[in-house]
């Protein structure tokens, strides 16, 4: 790697990541590798083609790359036992709301039973001192009442994905109370908003649609042009998870057990403006065409997190507004499609991490 961004806490730490082959997992692998950690990954193969992890061969940064299903407890437990991790990040999930309509069984098995398996493995493997369970902002009961959800707001879940993640929260809480001695391992759940960033080719995501239209010189079809979202760059919550994992590991770690919001800023940008920004960055001639939406699935109109706890206790806040987050995302895809040499893409990703680390003074 071109430059290392070592922070002494992470140097040589044994870290176990589930879901390392996914979008967020890939960024977490790169970030931790740069901080000097020794990483073991556990996940099934990435779903999309292309994908960040395999296309950039991030496997070479791991001590061991397990490709197994989290529904299989023995496989998970054996992998953890062998690597003796000190810190664990659980990201493996069926992560799409739309897929949860098509395949509710697998969503529940992966997200709920998978998390239960993970908690059982934490209980058995005493090397783990700090564990972060990644859920989502969709765990809250959302009645479109324009509430800024706090960590203690009521849980809910309109669709199966959201309810499966709310279940992860409840199971984690009850499992901690029943079986995990807080002196041994400190566990926290984390809830971020919808993330954007280089390397996310998940179906039905607006950024992917934009990039593919611009690269293939096709018209870009968009729905709900005036819909707005507080876009959040994936690096922002990842640094929140790192800070939290560090604190959980420390002497006063018990004070950090519980749930944490790492939400985006509430500055919104419309889908149309997002598409225009991408078009400019790609210097594209593609036409943007607005399409009527058929059979639209339920989607909360308003979803906002109150992240004051993270600000007060971790000094975590959002540094990048939606425009900068989108700029970084489109820049990344431009570099990906314009470079045959994937090392350049890795170096570019590390450069983005380095710039962010300087911005937030994380050293
Ligand atoms: N991307 C977002 O905007 C966002 C927002 C909030 C929360 N989250 C949560 O963050 C985590 C990571 O999200 P992502 O966007 O990287 O998702 P992703 O779909 O890109 O990655 C999911 C990862 O889980 C693995 N996985 C899926 N099913 C598995 C199984 N049965 N056994 C083992 N591994 C399995 C995949 O191989 C992949 O590595 C998820 O828990 C997701 O719910 C994501």
């Amino acid at each position: 790697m071109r430059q290392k961004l070592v922070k002494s806490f992470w140097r040589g730490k044994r870290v176990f990541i589930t879901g390392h082959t996914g979008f967020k997992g890939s960024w977490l692998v790169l970030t931790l590798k740069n901080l000097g950690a020794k990483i073991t990954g556990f996940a099934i193969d990435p779903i999309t083609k292309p994908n960040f992890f395999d296309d950039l061969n991030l496997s070479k940064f791991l001590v061991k790359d397990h490709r197994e299903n989290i529904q299989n407890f023995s496989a998970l437990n054996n992998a953890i036992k062998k690597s003796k991790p000190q810190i664990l990040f659980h990201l493996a999930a069926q992560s799409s709301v739309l897929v949860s309509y098509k395949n509710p069984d697998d969503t529940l098995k992966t997200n709920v039973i998978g998390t239960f398996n993970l908690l059982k493995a934490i209980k058995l493997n005493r090397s783990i001192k700090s564990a972060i369970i990644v859920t989502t902002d969709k765990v809250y009961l959302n009645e479109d009442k324009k509430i800024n959800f706090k960590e203690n707001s009521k849980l809910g879940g309109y669709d199966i994905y959201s309810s499966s993640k709310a279940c992860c929260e409840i199971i984690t809480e009850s499992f901690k109370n029943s079986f995990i001695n807080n002196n041994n391992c400190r566990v926290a759940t984390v809830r971020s908003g919808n993330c954007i960033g280089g390397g996310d080719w998940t179906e039905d995501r607006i950024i992917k649609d934009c990039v593919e239209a611009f690269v293939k010189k096709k018209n870009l079809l968009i729905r709900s042009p005036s819909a707005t979202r507080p876009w959040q760059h994936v690096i922002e919550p990842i640094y929140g998870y790192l800070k939290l994992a560090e604190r959980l590991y420390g002497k006063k770690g018990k004070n950090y057990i519980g749930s944490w919001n790492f939400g985006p800023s509430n500055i919104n940008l419309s889908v149309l403006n997002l598409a225009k920004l991408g078009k400019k960055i790609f210097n594209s001639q593609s036409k943007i065409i607005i399409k009527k939406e058929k059979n639209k699935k339920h989607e909360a109109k308003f979803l906002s997190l109150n992240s004051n706890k993270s600000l007060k206790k971790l000094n975590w806040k959002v540094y990048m507004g939606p425009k900068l987050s989108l700029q970084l995302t489109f820049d990344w895809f431009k570099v990906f499609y314009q470079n045959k040499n994937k090392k350049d893409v890795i170096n570019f990703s590390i450069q983005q991490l380095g710039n962010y680390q300087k911005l937030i003074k994380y050293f």
Side-chain angles (χ1 to χ4, degrees), residues 19-25 42-47 68-71 91-95 110 134-136 161 165 192-195 202 205:
H20 66 292
T21 60
F23 162 56
K24 272 185 160 178
F42 184 99
I44 52 174
D45 292 339
I47 297 146
E68 306 257 17
N69 197 315
I70 200 158
Q71 294 171 31
L91 286 84
Q94 191 301 97
S95 67
T110 294
V134 177
T135 68
T136 168
Y161 167 73
K165 285 290 188 173
S192 78
N194 272 349
C195 294
T202 309
R205 297 248 165 107

Side-chain angles (χ1 to χ4, degrees), residues 333-350:
F333 279 108
K334 201 171 160 190
V335 169
F336 179 87
Y337 282 107
Q338 288 180 353
N339 279 279
K340 290 263 177 310
N341 185 351
K342 297 306 175 207
K343 262 192 192 159
D344 293 341
V345 189
I346 293 187
N347 284 337
F348 187 74
S349 312
I350 291 165

